């Protein structure tokens, strides 16, 4: 038996995670390189890719960003994570991924492409939250846009407070 406590830093080391530009830590665990690529408007992509994604007390926010691809999220371990999704029509959807299924937390979350998404660690006893994401068509930085605070608040002024909390001040 391993008596080492499961902490954010032991998970980062064991799973070999690196900082992600949106915040948090990640590692790609899979890309469908044994299959033909799939054509998208942006070019050829893997049919599917997958990552681990970890939020920690030191890096508790995945900043608002936009993806072209569909993303399935699977909760694994630790504290719950709040997701804020801004749909193309401006409507806001807020939900929580976590293990307390009976309290309405989600083990799986499907985010279709074309949506602005941010995630935030809810403080709990673990100080980390670990999920996986499966992305199809496979992830490519060309299909992702980090949220610019000025641009997003101009587009969705009704969500200004949330956008200011979940974007970096590049001002
Ligand atoms: N977000 C979802 N999948 C990926 C990935 O494979 N790489 C990066 N950098 N971010 C992702």
């Amino acid at each position: 038996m391993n008596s080492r406590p499961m902490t954010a830093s032991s998970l980062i080391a064991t799973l070999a995670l690196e900082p992600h530009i949106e915040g948090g830590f990640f590692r790609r665990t899979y890309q469908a390189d044994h299959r033909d690529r799939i054509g998208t408007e942006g070019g050829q992509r893997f049919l599917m890719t997958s990552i681990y994604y970890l939020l920690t007390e030191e890096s508790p926010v995945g900043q608002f960003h936009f993806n072209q691809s569909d993303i399935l999220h699977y909760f694994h371990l630790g504290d719950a994570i709040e997701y804020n999704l801004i749909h193309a029509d401006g409507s806001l959807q807020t939900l929580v991924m976590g293990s307390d299924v009976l309290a309405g937390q989600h083990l799986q979350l499907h985010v279709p492409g074309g949506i602005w998404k941010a995630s935030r660690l809810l403080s709990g006893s673990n100080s980390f939250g670990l999920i996986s994401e499966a992305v199809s068509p496979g992830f490519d930085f060309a299909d992702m846009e980090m949220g610019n605070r000025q641009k997003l608040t101009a587009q969705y002024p009704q969500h200004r407070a949330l956008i200011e909390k979940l974007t970096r001040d590049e001002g």
Side-chain angles (χ1 to χ4, degrees):
M1 257 272 296
N2 189 345
S3 59
R4 212 153 51 108
M6 198 185 293
T7 61
S9 49
S10 65
L11 278 173
I12 289 168
T14 304
L15 299 177
L17 307 181
E18 313 237 331
H20 198 288
I21 55 159
E22 73 193 49
F25 301 86
F26 84 111
R27 178 169 57 86
R28 184 178 285 196
T29 53
Y30 170 79
Q31 59 191 30
D33 40 22
H34 59 303
R35 292 184 182 277
D36 289 344
R37 306 290 191 270
I38 183 171
T40 72
E41 272 178 30
Q44 299 281 311
R45 303 285 184 258
F46 293 115
L47 190 59
M48 183 162 76
T49 57
S50 187
I51 58 167
Y52 283 124
Y53 185 68
L54 179 79
L55 290 174
T56 69
E57 241 171 15
E58 290 70 36
S59 191
V61 170
Q63 316 277 338
F64 266 114
H65 62 284
F66 182 94
N67 282 295
Q68 296 287 357
S69 290
D70 297 341
I71 305 188
L72 282 157
H73 304 69
Y74 302 93
F75 184 82
H76 293 306
L77 294 170
D79 299 323
I81 300 174
E82 180 189 86
Y83 281 79
N84 284 286
L85 310 174
I86 301 178
H87 294 255
D89 66 359
S91 62
L92 173 70
Q93 190 184 359
T94 303
L95 50 85
V96 175
M97 290 201 81
S99 57
D100 199 349
V101 177
L102 300 185
Q105 295 181 352
H106 297 267
L107 293 173
Q108 292 193 3
L109 168 63
H110 168 219
V111 177
I115 281 179
W116 288 93
K117 174 184 85 177
S119 54
R120 180 172 76 88
L121 184 68
L122 297 177
S123 53
S125 54
N126 293 289
S127 311
F128 65 81
L130 177 69
I131 68 155
S132 280
E133 299 185 15
V135 185
S136 181
F139 181 87
D140 190 298
F141 273 111
D143 302 329
M144 180 213 201
E145 183 184 343
M146 284 304 300
N148 173 278
R149 182 175 292 181
Q150 279 71 28
K151 207 173 122 184
L152 266 186
T153 49
Q155 199 174 349
Y156 303 111
Q158 69 274 37
H159 304 311
R160 169 183 290 276
L162 188 69
I163 291 166
E164 286 182 351
K165 193 164 96 175
L166 299 173
T167 53
R168 289 194 189 99
D169 185 3
E170 294 156 7

